[in-house]
Amino acid sequence: MNKPNRLTVILALVTFAVGWYLGSDDKGMTITSSVGGSGYGGGYEQKTQPIQDEGAVRPREQRGKTHMVNPGDSIQAAVEIAQPGDTIQVMPGTYSETVYIDKDDIHLVGVIVAGERATLDGQKTLNDAILYSGNDVIIENFKIIDYKGNGIMSQAGNNFEIRNNLIIDTGIYGIFPQLGKNGLIEHNVVSGIADAAIYVGMSDNIHVAYNEVFDSVAGIEIENSRHAIVEHNHTHNNTGGILAFITPGLPIKDTYDVIIRNNFILDNNTPNFGAPGSTVAGIPAGTGILIMAADDVVVEGNIISNHKTAGILITDHGNAANLTLDPESDPNADGAMILDNVMLNNGYDTIDEVKAFALTELHTGNIDIFQIGPTEGSCIINRHRYHTVGIDDFSECDFTNTDNIDNYLIAGGAERRVIKASERGEIAYLGVCTGCHAYAGRLIGPSVMEIQALYANRPEDMVKYINAPTPMRADYPEMPA
């Protein structure tokens, strides 16, 4: 396990001190202790398994050859000659290319010398920096700038590790694992992203820790994914800090078993600059944590401050903006569990819809926690500490912490995904297309139903457009090839 860093120690001390101070009361109130106490006892099986080999998600096999890439060389050329088990070391310098990895067990590492990194520069013309579909892929130590599509994107690869990268202005997503299982995203700094700095899509058993994300629309998103922990991150100056939600119309229909704990979530008031009409464009500026239709989400030990809409916003699909409902997805956020968090100066200038609902409870002023829509099985401890709206039906949680859950990573690693030739089209659709296109309703691009109607009986024209897209509509972002 990684040793606790200074940030972790400071956060633990602050959380302990504030919890101790606020937990002392001389008015006879029933106060739930935030130190020690019972651990997490959710109503489904917990998978508490240690990270392997100092943070690796899978014990590394015997390493093969090391391939050196120097400025002027091609990273992709090194990938093409590499074999499973090989390491590719990229020396400091600037490389303007897209790197594709479709092999298992490749370690792609930028070498840092005197603070200088290997820099992938998209020059505002290339779509993606690194895309991989292999299993057991590690990507670390790169600086990635000025791409139009994505910084690092995975497509159906298991047992991945993405760490210690600096990613700036890479278009729609900074780090985007899609359809993966058993992945670690840690110690990255990501900024200037038009959708999500870190976006976990349709994945399972994921750990997102010790990252800094800022100046983006969404800081960290857990979308249509299960068994994820988001902890020890610093998310600030985004539109929304940390999100756990279900996007209707995707092949995986649910999000559940998510723990958001021990994060600094501060000043996420950046005006929303997402693609107009997209799902992410519906996030109100000034949202600390957004839980939308996701189930069994624990919010614990975070410092959440200075958000003009709300510190924690919990909603169903019916009250969310820019969504087309999916009859196969449960639209309600059930099982939200709010434990001890430090919440300061939230909801000080909230949106009109929240103000109107708050007035039905005769509430005016700041709002730390806001909940709207049907919910079942939700709970909170020490509710007296917060300014709240819409949580009267929340029960008292019967546990105070998740200390007994280290992570949800799978000891020994997940089984490697093997894609048969007959599955390649489906995996390409699920791992690539669904990142921007929901079946019904707008996501980043138009819905699949709309595309089907447009290209009915003309599949060859759709293939041509996918390979060489041109701008067609002013209200949609340019599609990457």
Side-chain angles (χ1 to χ4, degrees):
M1 290 291 295
N2 294 329
K3 295 182 179 179
N5 63 14
R6 185 181 180 189
L7 176 66
T8 309
V9 175
I10 292 173
L11 178 56
L13 291 173
V14 170
T15 304
F16 172 81
V18 176
W20 175 84
Y21 173 77
L22 294 177
S24 62
D25 185 79
D26 59 359
K27 298 180 181 179
M29 295 181 65
T30 300
I31 308 296
T32 304
S33 171
S34 61
V35 181
S38 57
Y40 185 45
Y44 43 87
E45 181 183 359
Q46 299 301 315
K47 297 180 179 178
T48 308
Q49 294 146 329
I51 298 176
Q52 300 293 311
D53 294 348
E54 299 183 352
V57 298
R58 184 184 180 98
R60 307 307 300 170
E61 297 179 359
Q62 183 67 35
R63 297 250 52 96
K65 296 181 179 179
T66 297
H67 307 267
M68 300 297 298
V69 180
N70 294 293
D73 297 339
S74 166
I75 302 173
Q76 185 62 41
V79 171
E80 290 174 0
I81 64 173
Q83 298 298 313
D86 286 1
T87 296
I88 300 168
Q89 294 186 349
V90 184
M91 299 303 294
T94 300
Y95 305 81
S96 294
E97 60 179 300
T98 297
V99 180
Y100 300 92
I101 304 173
D102 58 357
K103 303 174 182 179
D104 290 343
D105 201 12
I106 297 295
H107 186 173
L108 182 63
V109 54
V111 178
I112 304 175
V113 178
E116 295 298 317
R117 293 173 178 250
T119 299
L120 283 162
D121 184 355
Q123 300 181 333
K124 300 290 187 182
T125 59
L126 297 176
N127 291 311
D128 305 293
I130 301 172
L131 298 107
Y132 68 90
S133 59
N135 300 283
D136 301 283
V137 171
I138 298 176
I139 299 170
E140 60 183 331
N141 297 347
F142 285 92
K143 181 178 180 180
I144 302 173
I145 60 173
D146 292 339
Y147 283 81
K148 298 192 301 180
N150 306 285
I152 300 172
M153 180 179 181
S154 73
Q155 303 165 354
N158 293 345
N159 306 315
F160 59 85
E161 300 173 40
I162 302 171
R163 64 160 64 94
N164 195 25
N165 298 285
L166 175 61
I167 301 174
I168 305 168
D169 295 336
T170 59
I172 300 173
Y173 303 116
I175 296 174
F176 181 17
Q178 178 95 315
L179 279 181
K181 188 170 186 178
N182 206 48
L184 180 64
I185 303 168
E186 64 176 3
H187 298 287
N188 301 282
V189 179
V190 188
S191 64
I193 308 300
D195 193 296
I198 297 176
Y199 175 20
V200 177
M202 296 193 290
S203 297
D204 295 278
N205 302 91
I206 304 297
H207 204 82
V208 182
Y210 303 105
N211 302 283
E212 182 182 9
V213 293
F214 59 97
D215 291 348
S216 301
V217 176
I220 299 172
E221 290 186 19
I222 306 297
E223 180 212 46
N224 297 55
S225 297
R226 295 76 58 96
H227 313 305
I229 294 181
V230 180
E231 65 178 350
H232 304 303
N233 301 283
H234 184 195
T235 172
H236 61 96
N237 297 103
N238 307 287
T239 301
I242 298 177
L243 289 62
F245 64 95
I246 296 173
T247 294
L250 295 182
I252 300 218
K253 303 295 184 182
D254 49 17
T255 293
Y256 61 85
D257 193 10
V258 178
I259 298 175
I260 302 170
R261 65 187 180 191
N262 301 335
N263 301 281
F264 283 103
I265 306 169
L266 313 173
D267 300 291
N268 292 287
N269 298 297
T270 296
N272 194 315
F273 58 95
S278 65
T279 301
V280 75
I283 301 171
T287 301
I289 293 176
L290 172 63
I291 301 171
M292 183 180 73
D295 296 337
D296 301 318
V297 178
V298 177
V299 181
E300 172 194 3
N302 304 283
I303 296 179
I304 308 170
S305 70
N306 296 326
H307 299 96
K308 65 180 184 180
T309 295
I312 301 172
L313 180 60
I314 306 170
T315 182
D316 63 344
H317 279 158
N319 288 286
N322 299 347
L323 291 180
T324 300
L325 298 184
D326 182 348
E328 297 182 38
S329 292
D330 181 354
N332 301 328
D334 297 322
M337 293 163 270
I338 312 299
L339 306 183
D340 284 328
N341 299 274
V342 177
M343 304 189 71
L344 304 169
N345 194 37
N346 297 298
Y348 57 84
D349 185 22
T350 193
I351 58 177
D352 290 341
E353 294 86 347
V354 171
K355 288 180 182 177
F357 187 85
L359 285 174
T360 66
E361 297 186 0
L362 304 180
H363 180 100
T364 58
N366 287 15
I367 300 175
D368 290 316
I369 303 170
F370 179 86
Q371 195 279 144
I372 189 169
T375 183
E376 296 181 357
S378 294
C379 68
I380 186 171
I381 63 173
N382 289 327
R383 71 180 72 210
H384 63 282
R385 297 180 179 179
Y386 314 117
H387 303 286
T388 66
V389 174
I391 69 165
D392 287 348
D393 292 338
F394 280 35
S395 65
E396 183 82 1
C397 296
D398 60 1
F399 67 103
T400 64
N401 61 72
T402 60
D403 291 351
N404 64 321
I405 301 176
D406 186 11
N407 57 69
Y408 289 138
L409 299 176
I410 300 171
E415 183 177 352
R416 288 179 173 177
R417 182 189 293 272
V418 178
I419 301 174
K420 301 176 183 177
S422 61
E423 298 175 321
R424 289 177 181 169
E426 179 182 2
I427 292 296
Y429 168 72
L430 295 177
V432 182
C433 305
T434 58
C436 292
H437 301 276
Y439 183 72
R442 179 169 179 165
L443 190 56
I444 300 296
S447 71
V448 173
M449 293 179 67
E450 188 176 346
I451 296 168
Q452 286 175 326
L454 180 64
Y455 289 102
N457 302 316
R458 296 191 299 121
E460 66 283 352
D461 290 336
M462 183 170 70
V463 171
K464 290 178 182 178
Y465 180 79
I466 289 173
N467 284 322
T470 56
M472 293 181 63
R473 308 179 193 185
D475 58 337
Y476 284 98
E478 181 180 351
M479 176 177 166

